[in-house]
Amino acid sequence: MYTPEQRPSDLVKDDLPDVDSPSAVPSEDEVLEALKDVVDPELMVNVVDLGLVYGVQIDDGANATIDMTLTSPTCPLTDKIEYDTKYVLEGLVNSATINWVWLPPWSLEMITEDGREQLRAVGYNL
């Protein structure tokens, strides 16, 4: 029963899940699948199929560290790739950190067959 000292919102007590944090720790495959939405702005192919992602580590708190490289150490679009990575992983992990690595150096052999097909579709001859 409602009393004058109560607020109407006091009558409703729902235990809603916290939507800002993941409910479970995602797998490496789930993170890699999400990273396929991060597209290299110059080549127009996702970073996974380009072979730019060297590794993914996820701790028990659903914090991801991604070992990633670029097609060139002088790539001017690092900030864009970092932003897009954090954006696509939002809601899947609590935080995402990119560990930029340069060894081994990226090469054309690292591109997956799907990546090669995507490059052919935009005019590259591989």
Side-chain angles (χ1 to χ4, degrees):
M1 172 173 221
Y2 176 75
T3 61
E5 47 281 341
Q6 287 180 309
R7 297 183 352 224
S9 60
D10 291 337
L11 299 174
V12 179
K13 299 288 183 186
D14 287 333
D15 291 324
L16 299 175
D18 185 6
V19 294
D20 291 335
S21 64
S23 59
V25 176
S27 69
E28 181 179 339
D29 287 339
E30 290 173 311
V31 170
L32 287 170
E33 188 62 33
L35 288 174
K36 287 184 178 181
D37 287 338
V38 178
V39 175
D40 180 284
E42 293 177 307
L43 296 175
M44 302 309 296
V45 175
N46 72 74
V47 295
V48 174
D49 286 325
L50 274 177
L52 299 178
V53 178
Y54 285 1
V56 174
Q57 299 84 40
I58 307 157
D59 67 17
D60 292 337
N63 301 298
T65 302
I66 299 130
D67 292 336
M68 190 183 300
T69 194
L70 297 167
T71 56
S72 164
T74 59
C75 177
L77 300 167
T78 307
D79 291 343
K80 170 82 170 120
I81 292 173
E82 277 191 31
Y83 174 83
D84 290 349
T85 297
K86 291 180 182 196
Y87 181 79
V88 302
L89 294 178
E90 190 175 309
L92 184 62
V93 298
N94 283 325
S95 69
T97 303
I98 296 178
N99 179 34
W100 294 109
V101 296
W102 305 108
L103 295 172
W106 179 85
S107 68
L108 293 174
E109 290 78 34
M110 295 176 171
I111 304 172
T112 67
E113 189 54 41
D114 285 346
R116 291 174 186 282
E117 288 179 27
Q118 293 171 52
L119 284 168
R120 286 183 201 109
V122 294
Y124 287 94
N125 185 14
L126 294 178

